[in-house]
Amino acid sequence: MAEPTVTDTATGPAALRRSPLAHLADRLRDATVTGPRGVSVSEWPYTTMLSLRVEPDSFAAARIEKCLGAALPARCGETSPAGPRTTLWLGPDEWLVVAPPGTAPITAELHEALAGEPGSVVDVSANRTVLELRGPAAREVLEKGCPLDLHPRVFTPGEALATQLGPVPVILWRTAEDTYRLLPRSSFADYLARWLIDAMSEYARPEVT
């Protein structure tokens, strides 16, 4: 998923939107740490997200895959990028389709692909926000509160897993060597952002040896 461009030129109802972390924008920016132990966190608001459920290996799933332009991920942790969209595996018959802000949701096209077979397509863009954590110390920050084994041999770029960070349920998506995207429910975003700011603070000070 390419880096989003967020502007304030929206009209109509979109102009009234306020991201879950708009009130913390300055604190998130000020928390940035540079240098060899650098780490930063930023919100990617208004990311397009579709909840998709369909029986794997069904005719409907085949039509869905044609619509998405890629095969549905078949196992835990797997993701499937295609153009601006990436499909994340959430369960044996459940996926999350994620795209940058401003990307038109293909809800109608996916509904048409179901063609009345069992399944569902729901626009859940307002249900979650996205936090991006990046930098040499990003993994160390996550390891303070995530039960997953985040070693690069185990959790590789491109994988996404449902887990917790502190007490907050998140989808954790490793998009590059030192870059992670966290997808919390919008109602938990404030707590998670403050948790990350606190966890990052020690890297602004000299390392104790």
Side-chain angles (χ1 to χ4, degrees):
M1 188 174 75
E3 184 168 354
T5 300
V6 181
T7 67
D8 59 359
T9 58
T11 58
L16 303 177
R17 292 185 304 183
R18 183 175 175 84
S19 79
L21 296 176
H23 62 294
L24 290 179
D26 291 342
R27 289 197 60 187
L28 291 172
R29 183 178 58 252
D30 293 344
T32 298
V33 179
T34 58
R37 299 208 305 160
V39 61
S40 66
V41 61
S42 57
E43 183 189 18
W44 289 30
Y46 317 131
T47 298
T48 299
M49 302 186 205
L50 299 179
S51 171
L52 170 63
R53 303 203 70 159
V54 67
E55 184 67 27
D57 301 321
S58 64
F59 290 116
R63 293 190 297 268
I64 291 282
E65 291 175 333
K66 184 176 181 180
C67 184
L68 290 172
L72 291 169
R75 63 177 182 83
C76 181
E78 195 172 89
T79 64
S80 183
R85 300 178 182 85
T86 301
T87 303
L88 283 56
W89 188 97
L90 296 185
D93 65 350
E94 182 178 8
W95 297 267
L96 185 68
V97 183
V98 184
T103 305
I106 55 172
T107 316
E109 293 90 331
L110 292 174
H111 267 301
E112 185 177 348
L114 284 174
E117 293 189 38
S120 66
V121 181
V122 181
D123 188 332
V124 293
S125 303
N127 190 33
R128 297 179 185 270
T129 191
V130 179
L131 282 161
E132 182 172 86
L133 188 72
R134 63 165 64 194
R139 177 162 68 99
E140 294 180 36
V141 170
L142 293 174
E143 287 174 335
K144 292 183 177 187
C146 181
L148 292 179
D149 184 350
L150 300 179
H151 193 281
R153 288 195 302 267
V154 178
F155 190 49
T156 60
E159 290 193 295
L161 293 167
T163 183
Q164 287 195 188
L165 189 58
V168 179
V170 298
I171 298 171
L172 180 60
W173 179 12
R174 188 178 183 192
T175 58
E177 187 66 28
D178 290 332
T179 305
Y180 302 83
R181 292 185 190 146
L182 298 93
L183 284 65
R185 305 284 184 185
S186 294
S187 56
F188 296 135
D190 177 272
Y191 184 100
L192 181 64
R194 294 175 190 273
W195 189 98
L196 288 167
I197 290 170
D198 181 68
M200 291 164 56
S201 62
E202 73 165 275
Y203 299 96
R205 297 188 289 272
E207 186 173 8
V208 177
T209 58

